[in-house]
Amino acid sequence: MPDPTEAAAPRSLAGDLWGGFAAMLVALPSAIAYGVAVYALLGPAYIAHGVGTGIVGAIVLGFVASAFGGAPRLISSPCAPAGAVLASLATGLLNGDSATPERIIALLALVAVLSGVLQLGYGLLGGGRLIKYIPYPVVSGYLSGVGVLIFLSQVPKFLGLVGEKITAPALWSGPAIVVGLVTIGGVLVAPRLTRAIPATIIGIAAGVLAYFAIALARPELLQVTGNPLIIGPLVDQAGGVFAGVASTGPALASLHWADLRSLAIPALTLSVLLSIDTLKTCVVVDSLTRTRHNSDRTLIGQGAGNLISAFLGGMPGAGMMGATLVNVESGGRSKWSGMLEGMFVLLAALVLARWLAWLPVASLAGILIVVSVRMFDWGSLKLVRQKSTALDFAVIATVIVVAVSVNLIAAAGAGVALAMLLFIREQIRGSVIHRQNTANHISSTQHRLPEDQNLLQMHGQVITICELEGSLFFGTTDQLRTELAPAMQNCRWLILDLRRVQTMDYTAAHLFAEFETTLAGRGGALLFSRLPANRNMREYFAKMQLTGHKANGRKFETQDEALQWAEDRLLDELRPAVAEDETPLALTDFELCREFVADQTLSSIEACAKPRSYDAGAVIFNAGEVSDELLLIRRGIVRIVMPIGGTHHNLASFGRGSFMGEVAFLDHGARSATAIATTAVDLFAISRHSIDEASRAHPVIGVKIFARLARTLALSLRRTDAELRAYYDT
């Protein structure tokens, strides 16, 4: 049988060939249009230069970005955001006193270089994931602003104006308007006629045909030199479409450090916008092809492509949605489709350079007008209808207005500020309190005598347990104060569990200090549990003395330990403290055995009880041991832990007067956990076998023992049920 991979390889290569060729048909006209959109601002003499920069950018980006990138089917080329940012910068530079066209060209090249370097940095530092977290309203507003700027910049070219104001209709060129309208019509109608040929190609072809049809009645339109309605000759200038390759290096060398500093913000804006545009295209392709791109590697490829393109005199660009989708639909599967697209652009530039001179400027303007209208987020207009999305619409509208009235650089600053506003809004919308409860609804794992449990039930509301989450900063601090205000009226011990807290600032620390002062005045304390493992958070707490020796605040590794500490303080106030040298309890002091005094069976129980003693830290029994013993604690504290993955999880603590091991006593099974003596411990061990023997002589012993155990287990289950309800209801 033939190897299926051998058959798949030719199909993949054929798909990449057709995909690259089809993508070239979309990318090349667009690249030329964006180049003209930027450099035509310098005057009609620089339109040809704009064509060359667009073509070089399409060649270099197509090859380099695909070769080094992390999205196999992505087609990269000069794009609308690049055209808008550079055009906005060029317009601002033209208004300067000492700016010449040559200097502006050098400054635009420097911006492209810096943008490429920044994109390389984003990829190398893992910024591919972070850029995708920029709020969508900011991105939508920015791209819509780019669309508006492109539209406004292309209207004069659409009307055939060269330096004149559009407010003078008498200067409008009829042929240019007709060519532009025919081009737009061709782009819009093309998808209904055929999917085999890109709509851009059909639109340009229709515009060119319309131009030559008009030229039959207007012979002066057949002049290639000095004709403002067409691109003009390319091959007559030195180097042809590649004239910028030799001139870029010397132009960059003539710049100074002051130029570098002044262009830092425009370069940052361009790099972020191109990165977002690229990653957005990658996400769409992933959903269509059920693949996953490498964001960081993609940015490295984009940065390398833009950097090399800038040094060779080309425009910067990004992953293009239209060309990429055409590539996918035509069979492109690997990075070779993008590399072949760059090669096809090079071949087309070499073969068709003489004919590119006849491309009507109005036709290119028509294509960009269609692009700009499609870039505008028309769906965002629906956001103004609902109060919940009004702020999102305000963000989008603000970015658009700033981009149009000032420039894209200022819009970038407005976008960053509004992104912060959106972040604060989202933080304020949700509560920073994950769960809140009091000690009369939930209790620690410390097993206590019934009278102590009753005291905690009656007075436990003075202990508040609050689990926090998210970010504690100036935007959420007042909300936390408001939500805790009812509990703080009677609270004496406040436990703040910080396991889910991500960040905090000085405002939150100041609020904690207020809580601490208030609680200390009532004889209580502020307790912290489960501080985040983040080293910066722990150091911040230490510097603020929130858990230091000078503060009343205390920190605990677990919430249970903090709750147990607060319960102990409350119980110490409600009943006399137990002396440290407590004497071991007698058998009759245990509630389990008191009833046996009256019916004269106590001696039989005493015969079953075996006294034992353990030092602090000693293991009383291990998980997995088979036993049938019930253990009554006469003195000390025993901690029950469950071994988990090399560590232990604290399940419960038993003190003087409690008993444990009732499950193994009942079913003769293995111990489910390990018991460790926290302090020196004295206890009685009563085996199931000995009780069974005593019950044969005195059946009442078995009846009372098992009845008491059943009651204890029932109370424990009821308490657990109540705590679970409180846990899930809060």
Side-chain angles (χ1 to χ4, degrees):
M1 293 182 60
D3 187 352
T5 58
E6 296 179 358
R11 289 200 302 270
S12 177
L13 180 58
D16 289 337
L17 280 169
W18 283 113
F21 180 76
M24 179 273 294
L25 296 179
V26 176
L28 179 58
S30 300
I32 294 174
Y34 295 128
V36 171
V38 174
Y39 291 93
L41 296 171
L42 306 181
Y46 291 92
I47 291 179
H49 181 85
V51 174
T53 58
I55 292 176
V56 172
I59 294 171
V60 176
L61 278 169
F63 190 88
V64 176
S66 298
F68 297 100
R73 298 172 174 84
L74 185 68
I75 301 297
S76 299
S77 182
C79 58
V85 172
L86 295 181
S88 177
L89 180 59
T91 301
L93 293 173
L94 281 171
N95 295 328
D97 297 332
S98 59
T100 63
E102 290 73 19
R103 177 171 170 76
I104 292 175
I105 290 174
L107 292 174
L108 294 181
L110 179 58
V111 169
V113 169
L114 295 177
S115 176
V117 171
L118 288 172
Q119 284 188 290
L120 277 172
Y122 301 154
L124 294 173
L125 296 176
R129 296 180 298 274
L130 299 179
I131 290 177
K132 294 184 289 186
Y133 292 120
I134 296 177
Y136 180 75
V138 175
V139 176
S140 174
Y142 207 97
L143 293 179
S144 296
V146 168
V148 172
L149 288 176
I150 290 176
F151 181 87
L152 295 177
S153 68
Q154 296 308 303
V155 169
K157 299 180 181 64
F158 180 84
L159 299 176
L161 300 176
V162 182
E164 300 90 351
K165 295 183 178 180
I166 64 173
T167 53
L171 300 177
W172 294 358
S173 170
I177 295 175
V178 172
V179 169
L181 289 174
V182 171
T183 300
I184 293 175
V187 172
L188 298 179
V189 174
R192 302 180 182 180
L193 301 178
T194 178
R195 295 282 182 178
I197 303 175
T200 304
I201 296 299
I202 293 179
I204 286 182
V208 170
L209 290 175
Y211 178 84
F212 282 105
I214 296 173
L216 295 177
R218 303 271 300 269
E220 67 273 14
L221 297 182
L222 296 176
Q223 297 289 331
V224 69
T225 304
N227 185 349
L229 298 185
I230 61 175
I231 289 177
L234 299 176
V235 295
D236 293 342
Q237 59 178 338
V241 296
F242 305 107
V245 173
S247 60
T248 302
L252 289 172
S254 66
L255 300 177
H256 306 286
W257 283 107
D259 299 318
L260 187 66
R261 291 195 298 270
S262 65
L263 297 178
I265 298 302
L268 177 63
T269 302
L270 181 61
S271 66
V272 172
L273 195 58
L274 295 181
S275 300
I276 292 174
D277 204 29
T278 297
L279 296 180
K280 181 183 69 175
T281 301
C282 291
V283 171
V284 173
V285 174
D286 286 349
S287 64
L288 292 176
T289 60
R290 298 181 180 179
T291 58
R292 287 183 64 85
H293 72 283
N294 185 322
S295 297
D296 294 332
R297 187 175 170 186
T298 298
L299 291 183
I300 291 174
Q302 293 292 313
N306 282 325
L307 186 60
I308 297 174
S309 173
F311 277 115
L312 295 179
M315 271 193 71
M320 291 188 65
M321 183 74 72
T324 300
L325 294 181
V326 167
N327 177 40
V328 173
E329 293 174 358
S330 301
R333 297 183 181 181
S334 70
K335 64 181 181 180
W336 280 103
S337 59
M339 297 168 67
L340 287 168
E341 181 269 343
M343 295 178 185
F344 282 129
V345 173
L346 174 61
L347 181 62
L350 294 174
V351 174
L352 303 176
R354 184 176 301 277
W355 304 104
L356 291 176
W358 290 101
L359 281 178
V361 174
S363 186
L364 297 177
I367 290 176
L368 292 186
I369 287 175
V370 174
V371 171
S372 66
V373 171
R374 290 174 175 174
M375 283 188 68
F376 192 91
D377 187 2
W378 298 100
S380 64
L381 299 177
K382 300 178 182 178
L383 300 177
V384 75
R385 300 176 184 175
Q386 299 181 7
K387 184 177 180 180
S388 60
T389 56
L391 181 58
D392 296 299
F393 175 78
V395 170
I396 296 173
T398 300
V399 175
I400 294 174
V401 170
V402 173
V404 175
S405 61
V406 186
N407 53 52
L408 283 171
I409 313 304
V416 171
L418 292 172
M420 295 174 60
L421 180 63
L422 289 176
F423 173 76
I424 294 174
R425 182 194 66 169
E426 292 304 318
Q427 293 295 321
I428 295 176
R429 273 183 171 181
S431 174
V432 293
I433 297 180
H434 178 73
R435 187 178 290 111
Q436 181 179 339
N437 228 314
T438 55
N440 57 344
H441 291 120
I442 63 172
S443 61
S444 68
T445 57
Q446 172 71 49
H447 280 243
R448 303 186 185 276
L449 298 177
E451 51 268 28
D452 288 344
Q453 293 174 4
N454 292 334
L455 288 174
L456 292 175
Q457 284 286 329
M458 295 172 59
H459 304 281
Q461 70 275 6
V462 298
I463 302 175
T464 298
I465 306 97
C466 185
E467 298 180 30
L468 304 180
E469 64 180 356
S471 298
L472 303 178
F473 69 113
F474 63 89
T476 57
T477 299
D478 186 67
Q479 176 191 13
L480 177 60
R481 178 190 282 110
T482 301
E483 293 185 5
L484 280 179
M488 287 297 293
Q489 292 179 1
N490 301 312
C491 181
R492 293 183 56 196
W493 289 276
L494 174 61
I495 301 172
L496 296 180
D497 189 298
L498 306 178
R499 180 170 64 93
R500 295 180 176 85
V501 173
Q502 299 169 351
T503 58
M504 67 172 290
D505 67 358
Y506 182 76
T507 306
H510 180 70
L511 177 62
F512 291 166
E514 289 182 14
F515 289 159
E516 184 178 289
T517 302
T518 301
L519 296 170
R522 300 172 183 171
L526 175 64
L527 313 178
F528 297 101
S529 68
R530 298 194 287 187
L531 267 67
N534 187 316
R535 180 180 177 183
N536 292 335
M537 284 277 291
R538 290 179 176 264
E539 290 179 351
Y540 196 83
F541 266 74
K543 290 179 181 178
M544 294 296 103
Q545 296 185 348
L546 290 171
T547 56
H549 297 296
K550 297 182 180 180
N552 290 327
R554 298 174 182 269
K555 62 178 180 179
F556 299 86
E557 291 300 321
T558 66
Q559 184 186 123
D560 181 72
E561 292 175 355
L563 181 54
Q564 182 178 328
W565 187 92
E567 289 175 345
D568 289 340
R569 304 288 85 73
L570 178 60
L571 290 173
D572 287 345
E573 294 183 3
L574 298 175
R575 57 168 169 71
V578 178
E580 292 184 3
D581 59 343
E582 58 183 356
T583 57
L585 296 176
L587 197 59
T588 54
D589 293 325
F590 289 91
E591 186 180 3
L592 181 67
C593 303
R594 286 172 189 163
E595 296 182 6
F596 295 107
V597 178
D599 56 20
Q600 317 221 332
T601 54
L602 181 60
S603 58
S604 299
I605 295 295
E606 289 176 336
C608 298
K610 307 299 181 183
R612 293 179 186 170
S613 297
Y614 297 88
D615 294 330
V619 176
I620 299 174
F621 58 75
N622 282 303
E625 290 183 1
V626 177
S627 175
D628 67 347
E629 288 183 335
L630 181 69
L631 303 177
L632 285 64
I633 302 175
R634 305 173 64 198
R635 179 176 67 94
I637 298 175
V638 177
R639 183 164 54 100
I640 307 298
V641 299
M642 177 179 290
I644 299 178
T647 184
H648 294 85
H649 175 68
N650 188 37
L651 294 178
S653 292
F654 293 90
R656 186 171 181 260
S658 300
F659 61 84
M660 57 186 179
E662 62 272 18
V663 175
F665 178 82
L666 292 173
D667 66 4
H668 301 274
R671 300 288 190 187
S672 59
T674 298
I676 301 174
T678 303
T679 64
V681 173
D682 292 322
L683 50 79
F684 287 124
I686 302 176
S687 69
R688 171 67 180 275
H689 175 75
S690 63
I691 290 295
D692 290 342
E693 291 294 328
S695 297
R696 290 189 179 92
H698 303 283
V700 69
I701 292 177
V703 172
K704 290 184 176 182
I705 286 285
F706 289 109
R708 179 63 65 181
L709 290 177
R711 181 176 181 276
T712 301
L713 289 172
L715 291 175
S716 178
L717 288 173
R718 286 185 180 277
R719 185 167 62 252
T720 302
D721 180 67
E723 291 183 359
L724 286 173
R725 289 179 182 274
Y727 182 84
Y728 285 106
D729 289 344
T730 55

